Amino acid sequence: MNRSPVPNQRAIIDRRQLAGRIAALVAEEGEKARPAIVAALREALDRGRAELVRRLEKNPSAGHACTRGYAFLTDQLVRVLYDHVTADLYPAPNRSSAERLAILAVGGYGRAEMAPHSDVDIAFLTPQRHTAWCEQVIEAMLYLMWDLGLKVGHSSRTLDDAIRLAREDLTIRTSLLEARYVWGDEVLYDEAARRFWSEVARGTERQFVVEKLAERNARHKRMGDSRYVVEPNIKDGKGGLRDLQTLYWIGKYTHQVRSAKELIDVGLLTTAEYKGFRRAERFLLAVRCHLHQITGRAEDRLTFDFQRQIAERMNFADRPGKSSVERFMQFYFLQAKRVGSLTGVFLAQLDEEFAQKSAKRGFFAGFRSRPRELKGYVVHGGKIAAPSDEWFRKDPVRLIEVFQLAEAEELEVHPRTMRQAARDAKLIDHTVREDARANALFLDLLAGRNDPASVLRWMNEAGVMGRFVPDFGRVNAQMQFNMYHHYTVDEHTIRAIGLLSRIEKGELKDDHPRATRLIHKVASRRAAYVAVLLHDIAKGRKGDHSILGAEVARELCPRFGLNENETELVAWLVLHHLLMSHTAQKRDLTDPKTVEDFVATVQGLERLRHLAILTAVDIRAVGPGTWNSWKGQLLGELFDLSQERLRLGHARHGRHERVTAKRAEVSERLGARSDLVASVGERLDDAYWIAEPADIAAINLVHYHAAREADHALSIHCEFYEERGATLVTVIAADHPGLFYRIAGGIHLAGGNIIDARIHTSRDGWAVDNFLVQDPHGRPFMEEGQLERLKKSIADALANRIDLEPRLAQRPLPHSRSKAFDVDPRIVFDNTASNRFTVIEVNARDRSALLNRLSRALFEEGLVVQSAHITAYGERAADTFYVTDVTGSKITGEARLARIEAALLEAASDALQARLEDA
């Protein structure tokens, strides 16, 4: 957008020398010179590219220099080609006025923003209908460029056609807008430029802006509609290069600027904003160039597997609590945020210009609605504005007040005022942070009744949020280098606040009925909002972010105006904000010790209510698809069991009473077949009746009876289990060692992920194993074909008709890019989490074969699995097993525990996976 000269140009390509070499080859070999000419051109191209690679290695952040260099290299090649074709292949010494040809660079090439593998977008322009000479020259040039391996996007139009099509088509209009003269007939190019402005652009400025913004919005929606997705598209994503280009296109179309710098002169950007524009553009262009060089292709998605390499190339280093790749991505998101802020003020300034022009024309010319005054601010057209340029300087507390009023009155902040706030945010110092009124205003905003999340996002983008709460500023644009979290920490937090607000207003009662009820029962709603704000406040620091975050909460809550009880509550919630999620997903909720330990930590109903609400919004704000009915069911069960124990001081029923009550409920569900509770149910021990929900137990009894009546050695039942958002798979078979790991392998081979498993053996030696299964996208299997595939795969695995290990090893990872992460297996034994079982938790890289390998290792170590609970966090899986030895006892011996740990580490290792893949 700003065409500074390329330094030391001849080190990239010496056009005169190359042209002389081609002329010499033509003189020597005549018509047979083509192969040698192509070789000379390719040599020049390769040498130029190598020089540009060297320059980027030397100056890894020099995005403008790199892209201008590639555009310059292409320019010179195109000029040499044109001169060779018109002089040597199709010379026409006395050309007619129709035999004229202008070569224009368009697209990224036209802007001189070419990455290493960008397309060469060229427009061939002729004065009128193509003559034979023009067609021959164009064809010859294209064939030579294709011979060089260039990916050419080209158009060939007459001047009249170009102008006509530009009027009709937005893409062609944009292409002509940024067209740059490269070679050929410059007079023809000048005529095209003159006619474009007079016949296409004039009078269509507003239409162009509207269409470009609609195009941008559609692109954002396609790319995830957030500039904080952790695998961004640096070209088309929100806050990426295309957004900067859109600003330039709009500025050029409406004000005929020739460079981005001229946006200052026409009042669309300030000098500081333009510098921010250039910094962001330089960095994004550099990242794109590195991405193209690493991949060897035109790649624009900054995926996890490339982030680490580019961070290293651009000299980002590790810091305590923050890796080099996290620091690189944080800088990336700060640039994306800057692009977003620039877009907002730029478009609003333009909107105001259009409004002023409209007010001077038409029937209502001169008529304007009258602004109103609100606490000294000006409110007009749904926007709140500072009344003067000195407004915030006179009282910096107003930097908080303007956003609080915007939320309370459901107003937007005027872009000019956003500019002022961004400029004056530095006025927020220790005195402002400790000001009681400022903190009261902030708390009112945070717990606002309308749309606090949107206003907090504006506040954050203006830089006010990070200045007022410096701890939040530290997580601004902070990414977490894993596949579980979809957003940066600040965006995740603001989204969680927005979800809490929507839950409180009843907008999410279908997905979160319990949280919707609880938010109206808590004693302090503002404590709930502060807890959400602070739950991840200490991420990116050295140490446990929950412990460090609780310390931050104890400092900030009194400052915000919370009383002592609220402060202690928020600090406890931040410290334990992962407790409920981990307990529900990693522990057996039918084991009384699970609830006992959880309640011992929670200690009160008010904490339980707050923790349930915080857990729900925290999980859902991680990203699309992370909240599902299965997680909701688990959390709901844990809440209900814990609430009962907290209210009564103990479990309502002992073991015998619980079994009796469960049997009665199943009997009622079975209706006319209630006799099965006695005939079949007597064969199942108390552990079965306590572990299984009544609806599953009813299914099991009918299934068991039918299998035994038919004398089936193996019976498999699959059905969609709507309440849990999964597929229930029940296997009834003669119990024998290794049954569990073989079933798990069969399910995985059919494409299923096991999320929960309960293993039982009847008194007469039959296994009754229940599995909850989802597909790799967290959805249940529902179609008949899918269910039959599950059954067949399990049956084949149990009959040894398939060799499980190599087949499982060949299945792709659930997340194709998970190899970008270092996931070291970790084993944790816990003999206190259950009174009857040893609990083993395995954290390892998620893969289709993992559960099969782990359960086989446990079998080979002589352990009996009673239940398994499987949770995936992106590239990492956490598999928890409740086990005993063959005598039904816990495993306590240190030597044996060490042996089991070694076996599990080997089963979960990448080394074993590699060996099996090669087998």
Side-chain angles (χ1 to χ4, degrees):
M1 295 176 200
N2 283 349
R3 292 169 199 152
S4 324
V6 175
N8 196 9
Q9 295 177 351
R10 288 184 181 174
I12 299 172
I13 184 170
D14 188 329
R15 180 164 63 90
R16 289 181 183 175
Q17 184 185 65
L18 179 60
R21 186 176 173 189
I22 289 173
L25 288 168
V26 171
E28 289 173 19
E29 302 181 31
E31 292 181 0
K32 296 180 181 179
R34 183 184 173 87
I37 290 171
V38 171
L41 289 166
R42 185 175 288 118
E43 181 186 331
L45 176 62
D46 292 343
R47 192 165 53 242
R49 284 173 170 170
E51 170 64 15
L52 291 167
V53 168
R54 187 194 65 75
R55 291 187 184 191
L56 187 62
E57 286 174 356
K58 185 178 179 182
N59 297 296
S61 297
H64 288 122
C66 184
T67 54
R68 283 198 309 270
Y70 279 100
F72 170 75
L73 173 61
T74 307
D75 283 350
Q76 297 294 67
L77 282 170
V78 168
R79 288 163 183 159
V80 168
L81 286 172
Y82 177 85
D83 289 347
H84 163 58
V85 170
T86 56
D88 302 323
L89 301 183
Y90 299 105
N94 297 310
R95 277 183 258 166
S96 69
S97 60
E99 292 176 322
R100 296 158 59 206
L101 181 64
I103 301 173
L104 280 55
V106 295
Y109 177 31
R111 294 187 302 274
E113 291 179 359
M114 287 190 77
H117 293 279
S118 291
D119 292 357
V120 179
D121 292 324
I122 287 183
F124 294 101
L125 194 64
T126 57
Q128 48 194 273
R129 187 177 59 82
H130 294 171
T131 63
W133 179 84
C134 290
E135 289 178 353
Q136 288 169 331
V137 170
I138 292 169
E139 184 177 312
M141 288 186 68
L142 287 173
Y143 274 113
L144 283 166
M145 284 191 276
W146 290 331
D147 285 347
L148 292 175
L150 296 174
K151 189 177 178 184
V152 183
H154 67 282
S155 64
S156 177
R157 298 188 178 102
T158 65
L159 179 53
D160 287 341
D161 284 344
I163 297 301
R164 176 178 55 80
L165 290 168
R167 288 198 203 100
E168 298 170 358
D169 185 276
L170 181 67
T171 303
I172 295 172
R173 194 184 314 176
T174 306
S175 178
L176 207 52
L177 172 70
E178 60 185 357
R180 175 173 60 86
Y181 170 75
V182 177
W183 215 232
D185 195 313
E186 193 167 4
V187 173
L188 183 59
Y189 166 78
D190 290 339
E191 175 65 9
R194 185 191 64 76
R195 287 187 61 184
F196 175 82
W197 291 114
S198 64
E199 299 178 28
V200 178
R202 183 177 296 165
T204 63
E205 292 86 355
R206 188 188 290 271
Q207 176 202 358
F208 181 81
V209 173
V210 169
E211 290 178 355
K212 269 294 161 195
L213 294 182
E215 181 183 77
R216 182 198 65 162
N217 293 340
R219 173 168 45 80
H220 286 172
K221 193 170 184 180
R222 223 171 39 245
M223 293 291 158
D225 209 25
S226 172
R227 66 182 63 98
Y228 303 110
V229 290
V230 292
E231 288 188 298
N233 185 303
I234 59 174
K235 178 183 174 185
D236 290 325
K238 196 170 187 177
L241 283 164
R242 188 66 86 206
D243 280 1
L244 286 174
Q245 290 156 11
T246 299
L247 297 190
Y248 175 62
W249 290 333
I250 290 173
K252 185 170 186 178
Y253 199 89
T254 57
H255 289 82
Q256 297 189 30
V257 299
R258 290 166 298 175
S259 69
K261 191 171 186 179
E262 291 182 15
L263 295 172
I264 302 171
D265 302 331
V266 297
L268 289 175
L269 293 178
T270 64
T271 301
E273 287 163 352
Y274 166 72
K275 288 179 179 177
F277 181 111
R278 290 288 285 174
R279 278 195 299 272
E281 186 181 52
R282 179 173 65 244
F283 176 78
L284 293 172
L285 287 171
V287 171
R288 189 171 187 232
C289 288
H290 286 294
L291 194 52
H292 279 214
Q293 285 187 0
I294 289 169
T295 60
R297 62 178 185 271
E299 178 61 69
D300 293 315
R301 192 172 177 206
L302 189 54
T303 53
F304 293 121
D305 36 355
F306 303 133
Q307 290 172 9
R308 197 191 298 274
Q309 296 177 63
I310 296 176
E312 186 177 329
R313 278 169 162 251
M314 297 187 75
N315 299 326
F316 284 83
D318 291 342
R319 292 286 183 271
K322 200 174 290 187
S323 67
S324 60
V325 67
E326 287 173 335
R327 292 185 64 239
F328 161 67
M329 289 305 296
Q330 183 171 30
F331 193 76
Y332 172 89
F333 288 119
L334 288 172
Q335 305 316 306
K337 177 184 167 187
R338 177 176 282 126
V339 173
S341 300
L342 286 171
T343 301
V345 296
F346 179 98
L347 294 176
Q349 183 71 31
L350 201 63
D351 191 45
E352 198 164 276
E353 283 185 18
F354 283 143
Q356 288 172 356
K357 288 177 183 176
S358 297
K360 295 174 183 177
R361 296 193 300 266
F363 180 77
F364 292 102
F367 172 79
R368 296 189 71 185
S369 60
R370 301 181 72 180
R372 65 184 176 95
E373 186 266 345
L374 175 67
K375 295 189 176 181
Y377 294 86
V378 177
V379 177
H380 185 242
K383 295 183 176 70
I384 185 170
S388 69
D389 193 54
E390 300 293 317
W391 183 252
F392 297 129
R393 293 173 185 170
K394 290 176 181 175
D395 182 4
V397 172
R398 290 168 174 164
L399 285 162
I400 315 301
E401 180 184 54
V402 67
F403 291 102
Q404 188 274 324
L405 288 173
E407 199 285 329
E409 300 291 328
E410 297 183 86
L411 299 168
E412 292 181 35
V413 179
H414 194 283
R416 188 174 58 248
T417 301
M418 283 288 287
R419 263 182 174 161
Q420 290 173 236
R423 181 197 66 195
D424 294 338
K426 61 182 179 291
L427 300 174
I428 298 175
D429 55 14
H430 179 74
T431 303
V432 176
R433 292 184 201 110
E434 295 298 323
D435 185 273
R437 178 168 165 264
N439 282 285
L441 288 166
F442 179 74
L443 193 56
D444 286 345
L445 163 57
L446 175 62
R449 301 279 185 176
N450 295 311
D451 186 8
S454 293
V455 182
L456 286 168
R457 193 172 282 110
W458 302 340
M459 191 181 191
N460 190 36
E461 294 193 349
V464 173
M465 182 91 163
R467 291 289 299 183
F468 189 68
V469 187
D471 290 290
F472 191 84
R474 291 180 66 172
V475 297
N476 215 335
Q478 169 69 44
M479 69 103 52
Q480 298 158 83
F481 191 60
N482 59 53
M483 295 184 72
Y484 179 61
H485 292 92
H486 293 229
Y487 304 110
T488 55
V489 177
D490 56 329
E491 178 67 8
H492 162 75
T493 301
I494 291 172
R495 282 175 179 257
I497 291 166
L499 287 167
L500 179 56
S501 175
R502 293 181 65 196
I503 285 171
E504 187 176 21
K505 289 185 282 191
E507 294 176 5
L508 298 176
K509 61 184 176 184
D510 290 342
D511 290 344
H512 301 280
R514 182 174 278 99
T516 301
R517 292 193 303 272
L518 293 178
I519 189 61
H520 298 290
K521 291 183 178 180
V522 296
S524 172
R525 62 181 292 278
R526 63 184 192 170
Y529 280 89
V530 174
V532 175
L533 173 69
L534 301 182
H535 77 281
D536 278 345
I537 198 78
K539 278 199 168 174
R541 303 188 192 188
K542 193 175 182 179
D544 187 321
H545 81 280
S546 298
I547 296 171
L548 297 173
E551 294 171 3
V552 172
R554 287 193 175 89
E555 292 177 12
L556 284 179
C557 289
R559 199 196 100 184
F560 290 159
L562 270 58
N563 61 37
E564 188 176 341
N565 288 337
E566 290 171 317
T567 297
E568 280 306 308
L569 172 61
V570 171
W572 184 89
L573 287 167
V574 173
L575 179 63
H576 295 290
H577 72 274
L578 298 173
L579 173 67
M580 194 168 194
S581 171
H582 285 180
T583 303
Q585 296 182 75
K586 296 183 178 182
R587 293 292 180 262
D588 189 339
L589 299 183
T590 64
D591 189 318
K593 189 68 161 53
T594 298
V595 178
E596 185 182 314
D597 290 348
F598 178 72
V599 167
T601 304
V602 175
Q603 296 184 344
L605 283 170
E606 182 71 2
R607 281 182 176 180
L608 179 64
R609 293 184 188 114
H610 275 282
L611 186 58
I613 296 165
L614 175 58
T615 302
V617 299
D618 187 20
I619 293 174
R620 183 158 179 163
V622 164
T626 52
W627 177 269
N628 54 38
S629 56
W630 167 240
K631 289 177 183 174
Q633 185 77 23
L634 289 176
L635 291 168
E637 285 180 19
L638 178 57
F639 180 89
D640 291 341
L641 291 166
S642 303
Q643 180 176 245
E644 176 187 294
R645 197 173 186 95
L646 284 164
R647 280 179 170 165
L648 300 176
H650 56 81
R652 180 175 296 174
H653 301 297
R655 189 177 182 86
H656 177 71
E657 289 85 354
R658 289 171 68 193
V659 171
T660 302
K662 183 72 68 63
R663 288 165 67 100
E665 186 180 350
V666 173
S667 180
E668 186 177 338
R669 282 177 176 270
L670 288 171
R673 306 201 65 184
S674 60
D675 60 298
L676 293 177
V677 174
S679 60
V680 176
E682 287 302 322
R683 304 180 192 186
L684 300 166
D685 59 18
D686 287 356
Y688 171 87
W689 287 103
I690 289 170
E692 295 299 346
D695 53 350
I696 290 182
I699 293 169
N700 286 168
L701 296 188
V702 173
H703 182 194
Y704 188 97
H705 176 74
R708 302 312 316 122
E709 283 289 301
D711 198 26
H712 287 161
L714 171 66
S715 183
I716 304 167
H717 173 75
C718 301
E719 69 173 70
F720 169 45
Y721 191 5
E722 185 174 6
E723 188 177 345
R724 308 269 173 155
T727 300
L728 171 65
V729 177
T730 302
V731 179
I732 295 177
D735 197 15
H736 60 81
L739 185 71
F740 174 59
Y741 84 77
R742 288 190 175 91
I743 295 172
I747 290 172
H748 290 316
L749 270 184
N753 284 340
I754 297 169
I755 58 174
D756 198 70
R758 299 188 190 281
I759 294 89
H760 310 284
T761 304
S762 69
R763 290 189 170 98
D764 50 353
W766 288 87
V768 181
D769 295 349
N770 289 314
F771 300 84
L772 288 178
V773 178
Q774 294 176 334
D775 71 13
H777 303 290
R779 298 184 298 250
F781 292 98
M782 299 170 65
E783 297 175 12
E784 192 60 37
Q786 294 175 320
L787 300 179
E788 286 302 317
R789 188 170 73 243
L790 272 172
K791 290 180 184 178
K792 183 179 185 306
S793 187
I794 294 168
D796 287 348
L798 291 177
N800 284 322
R801 287 193 287 266
I802 48 177
D803 195 355
L804 282 174
E805 280 201 331
R807 289 280 299 278
L808 285 169
Q810 296 304 317
R811 286 192 65 79
L813 291 169
H815 303 283
S816 61
R817 295 179 305 284
S818 67
K819 287 185 178 179
F821 303 93
D822 297 325
V823 184
D824 295 325
R826 186 167 55 87
I827 317 298
V828 178
F829 297 96
D830 190 342
N831 271 312
T832 65
S834 172
N835 291 327
R836 298 180 57 207
F837 306 110
T838 294
V839 178
I840 304 176
E841 185 177 321
V842 182
N843 286 270
R845 188 186 304 282
D846 192 16
R847 55 170 57 96
S848 299
L850 182 63
L851 182 60
N852 167 265
R853 290 178 191 165
L854 295 176
S855 52
R856 179 167 185 163
L858 294 172
F859 156 68
E860 291 174 346
E861 289 298 320
L863 301 184
V864 179
V865 177
Q866 299 295 330
S867 70
H869 313 274
I870 294 85
T871 308
Y873 300 96
E875 75 283 357
R876 183 172 58 86
D879 292 3
T880 305
F881 302 91
Y882 280 64
V883 304
T884 63
D885 62 17
V886 290
T887 68
S889 303
K890 290 185 178 182
I891 296 87
T892 54
E894 288 189 15
R896 189 168 188 200
L897 289 172
R899 194 167 64 247
I900 294 167
E901 181 179 20
L904 291 172
L905 286 172
E906 169 66 12
S909 69
D910 290 340
L912 175 61
Q913 174 70 17
R915 287 200 302 274
L916 290 171
E917 284 178 359
D918 295 338

